Amino acid sequence: MGASWLHGVCNENPLAPLIRSLRLPLYRTSGDNSVLYDHDLESYALFDASGHQVPQQIVSEVSETFKKILEETEKVRDENLVDLSIHEAISIVFDKHPQLRQEGLSHEVLQWFICRMEAWFAADADMISLKCWDQEHVLSGGHGVMVQGYYPVIKALAEKIDVRLNYRVTKIYNGFDKVMVTVEDGRSFVADAVIVTVPLGVLKANLIEFMPALPEWKTSAISDLGVGNENKIALKFDNVFWPNVELLGVVASASYACGYFLNLHKVTGQPILVYMVAGRFAYDLEKLSDEDAVKFVMVHLVRMFPNASEPVQYLVSHWGTDPNSLGCYCYDHVGKSGDLYERLRAPLGNMFFAGEAYSVVNEGSVHGAYSSGITAAENCKELIRGRLGSSEDALHVSQLNDLLDAINPFQVSRL
């Protein structure tokens, strides 16, 4: 229900040695430079609001138009000293180049492309920075779904580490040479240092009290970075009634109303579809009960496939309102300052920060979170080593050196 993709199926990905050594299978959904970011337009089916399939020629033509629109937004960026939103930039492009506007069904397909772009950032186009939207360092090798999910990775990394579950932190006291962490039931834990890896949404909501209070340069960085929301409705059926394609889409007159289904039957062999929505739509969907959310999705499916059966199981995420997350992953908000990430990840005494929002070039990704965690752990280790005056490690970052050094190929498929 959370992270699903490895963004960058290549040896340069910091997670590659671990994934290869664990022999975790990947299902590749795109190569490099895909207009849909995590999918290629090779295996798909789009439908209009009446349930009629959109001709692939229209989709291909709009795809090329969308690429041209994005190229033109780069010129808009160069012409404006003040940061704009992607939405504003596209409007300016249409004013300058009216031939790029789309009408009728082509307009609805264009809105679907914008919807998929918004899903990459988990935010609406009027919230995404024109200055920064394409500045992320995307690794080569395309994108692959982790067929078994990320749990095997978490399990391997947690081996031989004392992990305490169901402890919601409420207060962190950062002392001279110690830290004290207080949890919801009032118990406290004392340590030499702490690495704070809670989701950005939790920090933005001030659910953890810091003593002394975080300085203004840190709190303003937390406030200025956007946090997006993307939700999933996973539906398991007793039979497959949809075509053998990787993704199913619903086009509409506005990106807000467009829809997207990931076909997990292609990935896992199980009769499962996952409906995915981002931005304001994701928050609005959380206002519904799980049952009503599933009914909403099934309306789309029945229009597309009149012989659709009812799901035998379903799961609905609530990342935007879950008190342990309050959002999914970060995005660059319009007008953010250039030193924001440096301020975010800067340590404070015995307190270090890590997570996807603290990765300067790979924010929003699992490998970005992982690499920032390794950096924070190494910095923490150096702090404690300096206090001990010893050349020996005072902190074991991982017990997986034998795995990380193993050389195994990626287990990648695409059927």
Side-chain angles (χ1 to χ4, degrees), residues 171-409:
K171 185 182 298 184
I172 300 175
Y173 174 74
N174 190 6
F176 175 70
D177 61 353
K178 297 286 183 182
V179 293
M180 183 170 69
V181 176
T182 302
V183 297
E184 209 167 43
D185 64 4
R187 280 181 286 181
S188 295
F189 301 86
V190 177
D192 296 308
V194 63
I195 302 175
V196 180
T197 63
V198 298
L200 178 63
V202 173
L203 292 181
K204 292 172 77 74
N206 297 313
L207 296 184
I208 297 177
E209 179 185 1
F210 292 91
M211 300 179 62
L214 298 179
E216 190 279 335
W217 58 264
K218 176 71 78 172
T219 57
S220 62
I222 293 171
S223 175
D224 291 346
L225 185 61
V227 59
N229 186 26
E230 184 171 17
N231 277 310
K232 301 180 181 182
I233 301 176
L235 306 169
K236 184 175 183 179
F237 301 90
D238 56 10
N239 67 303
V240 176
F241 52 80
W242 55 88
N244 188 33
V245 294
E246 288 177 3
L247 67 94
L248 302 166
V250 179
V251 304
S253 59
S255 64
Y256 173 90
C258 293
Y260 160 73
F261 292 87
L262 173 65
N263 178 13
L264 279 190
H265 186 255
K266 288 278 285 186
V267 179
T268 67
Q270 297 292 320
I272 297 172
L273 292 174
V274 182
Y275 185 74
M276 301 173 69
V277 294
R280 294 186 183 93
F281 195 7
Y283 283 106
D284 288 344
L285 205 60
E286 292 191 42
K287 298 174 184 177
L288 303 177
S289 67
D290 287 0
E291 293 78 10
D292 286 342
V294 171
K295 289 178 182 178
F296 169 81
V297 174
M298 287 304 299
V299 168
H300 282 306
L301 279 178
V302 170
R303 284 178 186 160
M304 296 155 62
F305 311 109
N307 63 331
S309 59
E310 288 296 314
V312 294
Q313 277 183 284
Y314 60 80
L315 282 173
V316 182
S317 68
H318 307 85
W319 295 119
T321 52
D322 187 323
N324 299 318
S325 60
L326 295 177
C328 289
Y329 45 86
C330 73
Y331 70 93
D332 293 319
H333 201 279
V334 179
K336 81 172 182 66
S337 60
D339 65 342
L340 188 150
Y341 288 103
E342 285 71 18
R343 287 185 284 135
L344 270 174
R345 64 177 180 168
L348 289 168
N350 309 304
M351 187 161 56
F352 301 84
F353 296 85
E356 55 82 21
Y358 303 88
S359 174
V360 176
V361 293
N362 294 122
E363 66 274 10
S365 67
V366 178
H367 65 270
Y370 174 77
S371 58
S372 77
I374 293 296
T375 299
E378 292 291 347
N379 292 338
C380 180
K381 181 170 64 176
E382 288 300 316
L383 173 74
I384 297 173
R385 176 187 291 161
R387 288 178 182 169
L388 295 177
S390 170
S391 62
E392 296 185 7
D393 288 350
L395 180 68
H396 295 290
V397 175
S398 173
Q399 300 294 326
L400 295 171
N401 289 335
D402 56 328
L403 290 178
L404 296 177
D405 292 337
I407 300 177
N408 292 297

Side-chain angles (χ1 to χ4, degrees), residues 161-180:
I161 295 177
D162 181 12
V163 179
R164 310 287 180 92
L165 300 177
N166 299 313
Y167 284 73
R168 185 179 286 115
V169 174
T170 58
K171 185 182 298 184
I172 300 175
Y173 174 74
N174 190 6
F176 175 70
D177 61 353
K178 297 286 183 182
V179 293
M180 183 170 69

Side-chain angles (χ1 to χ4, degrees), residues 16-195:
L18 182 56
I19 290 173
R20 291 199 315 262
S21 61
L22 294 173
R23 299 185 179 276
L24 297 177
L26 289 156
Y27 182 89
R28 192 189 300 275
T29 57
S30 82
D32 296 330
N33 303 317
S34 171
V35 70
L36 297 180
Y37 302 94
D38 49 18
H39 277 287
D40 289 331
L41 278 177
E42 292 183 0
S43 180
Y44 71 93
L46 300 189
F47 297 81
D48 64 19
S50 299
H52 299 113
Q53 186 167 351
V54 179
Q56 293 196 356
Q57 182 179 351
I58 292 179
V59 180
S60 298
E61 291 173 353
V62 175
S63 170
E64 293 303 313
T65 300
F66 186 53
K67 290 179 183 178
K68 293 177 183 178
I69 292 171
L70 294 182
E71 290 172 359
E72 290 298 324
T73 63
E74 296 178 18
K75 299 177 183 178
V76 173
R77 175 170 54 198
D78 295 339
E79 295 168 357
N80 287 270
L81 297 177
V82 179
D83 191 18
L84 305 172
S85 71
I86 285 291
H87 177 77
E88 290 175 299
I90 291 176
S91 296
I92 292 173
V93 169
F94 285 155
D95 289 340
K96 290 185 175 183
H97 306 280
Q99 74 276 11
L100 294 178
R101 292 181 183 273
Q102 304 294 293
E103 303 293 338
L105 185 57
S106 294
H107 169 77
E108 295 185 357
V109 174
L110 177 62
Q111 294 303 308
W112 186 81
F113 274 96
I114 294 175
C115 168
R116 293 300 303 136
M117 179 186 188
E118 292 172 329
W120 180 262
F121 299 95
D124 295 86
D126 61 353
M127 304 292 288
I128 303 168
S129 166
L130 173 65
K131 179 177 67 175
C132 302
W133 76 272
D134 61 348
Q135 300 305 298
E136 177 187 356
H137 174 60
V138 179
L139 298 176
S140 63
H143 310 280
V145 174
M146 299 283 289
V147 176
Q148 297 178 21
Y150 270 102
Y151 179 69
V153 175
I154 302 296
K155 184 179 179 181
L157 290 171
E159 188 176 341
K160 298 181 181 179
I161 295 177
D162 181 12
V163 179
R164 310 287 180 92
L165 300 177
N166 299 313
Y167 284 73
R168 185 179 286 115
V169 174
T170 58
K171 185 182 298 184
I172 300 175
Y173 174 74
N174 190 6
F176 175 70
D177 61 353
K178 297 286 183 182
V179 293
M180 183 170 69
V181 176
T182 302
V183 297
E184 209 167 43
D185 64 4
R187 280 181 286 181
S188 295
F189 301 86
V190 177
D192 296 308
V194 63
I195 302 175

